[in-house]
Amino acid sequence: MSEELSRWYRGRLVGGPFRPFDPGECDALEREIGLPLPPAYRSFLEAAGGEKLDYSVRLPASEPEAVQGFDDLYQLGRDNAGEYGWGTLLGEYRRSRDGWLAENVPLTGLLPIARNGSSDTLFLDLNPAAQGQLHACVHAIAWPGYLSSHVFTKAADDFDAYLDSLFMTPSMAEDAWGDVADSDPSDPWRRTVEERLDKELPTWRAEAWATP
């Protein structure tokens, strides 16, 4: 397993740790599902993979919570215990076949690829008619001002389009800088965060929270 903290992919910062891409595990996943992975997503697994994609995406169908994020990426292959456990693509695919979601949403050919802390899930469509599309399942919260009913909605036409649609909110940028602001200017992670903020929010250094 790579000790890299991060990798850039299509202008997005992917957080580690990173595992070497195993074509055999990709074949095993495709055999179980019975459908191939779309080229854009397979390219991402080959070049980056990783465990974190800390960005937001806008989902109009989930108003009043249109800004969502699916930062925990599922991993190709087995977990550290040698099993297809939680957080692995094959393990999560198997688990998604049971339970509430499978009873309410047609999941044939849909591969869960990421989630967030609220267990909202991002799915990759492997079905030939819509291969490569991404769909999001966002859970309702029984509280005024929040999403009143569960939503299952299209998130992007393909994985590359999904990456291109991601963005950092101002609060995410502030939190990212707050984590490194007190570190040495030569610290590699601080420099990575600065590079990310320069890309995502070019005017960030003028913000009050960025002032030393």
Side-chain angles (χ1 to χ4, degrees):
M1 186 176 294
S2 172
E3 295 182 357
E4 293 176 81
L5 293 176
S6 62
R7 291 179 185 174
W8 289 100
Y9 185 82
R10 287 185 64 88
R12 302 304 181 209
L13 190 67
V14 184
F18 302 91
R19 304 177 185 181
F21 177 76
D22 185 341
E25 289 290 358
C26 191
D27 292 342
L29 179 64
E30 292 177 330
R31 280 197 304 272
E32 176 137 349
I33 301 173
L35 294 165
L37 294 180
Y41 183 63
R42 183 181 177 114
S43 295
F44 171 75
L45 293 178
E46 291 176 347
E51 292 187 359
K52 287 289 182 181
L53 192 60
D54 193 13
Y55 290 90
S56 293
V57 62
R58 189 171 299 278
L59 302 175
S62 66
E63 286 283 5
E65 296 178 89
V67 176
Q68 296 287 336
F70 302 91
D71 55 330
D72 292 326
L73 299 173
Y74 296 151
Q75 301 294 288
L76 180 66
R78 301 171 186 267
D79 59 23
N80 293 334
E83 305 289 341
Y84 294 115
W86 297 101
T88 67
L89 287 167
L90 187 50
E92 296 293 344
Y93 172 77
R94 290 171 175 172
R95 288 180 181 84
S96 69
R97 304 303 99 175
D98 300 314
W100 173 88
L101 190 59
E103 295 173 357
N104 291 273
V105 175
L107 294 181
T108 302
L110 296 187
L111 172 67
I113 62 171
R115 67 174 170 224
N116 59 25
S118 299
S119 294
D120 301 324
T121 306
L122 186 67
F123 290 89
L124 181 65
D125 199 331
L126 308 188
N127 293 294
Q131 190 192 49
Q133 290 184 4
L134 277 82
H135 308 279
C137 178
V138 182
H139 294 92
I141 298 177
W143 197 260
Y146 290 88
L147 189 64
S148 59
S149 59
H150 304 304
V151 168
F152 188 82
T153 183
K154 180 179 173 181
D157 287 331
D158 59 36
F159 193 74
D160 285 349
Y162 174 72
L163 293 176
D164 293 344
S165 72
L166 298 178
F167 61 93
M168 286 186 76
T169 64
S171 62
M172 291 170 64
E174 182 176 357
D175 289 344
W177 179 244
D179 288 340
V180 300
D182 293 332
S183 58
D184 190 278
S186 64
D187 180 80
W189 180 241
R190 172 176 167 143
R191 295 173 65 179
T192 297
V193 171
E194 288 181 304
E195 181 182 1
R196 182 188 183 194
L197 293 176
D198 287 339
K199 287 177 180 287
E200 303 289 348
L201 194 69
T203 61
W204 72 275
R205 296 177 191 275
E207 300 290 337
W209 48 262
T211 303

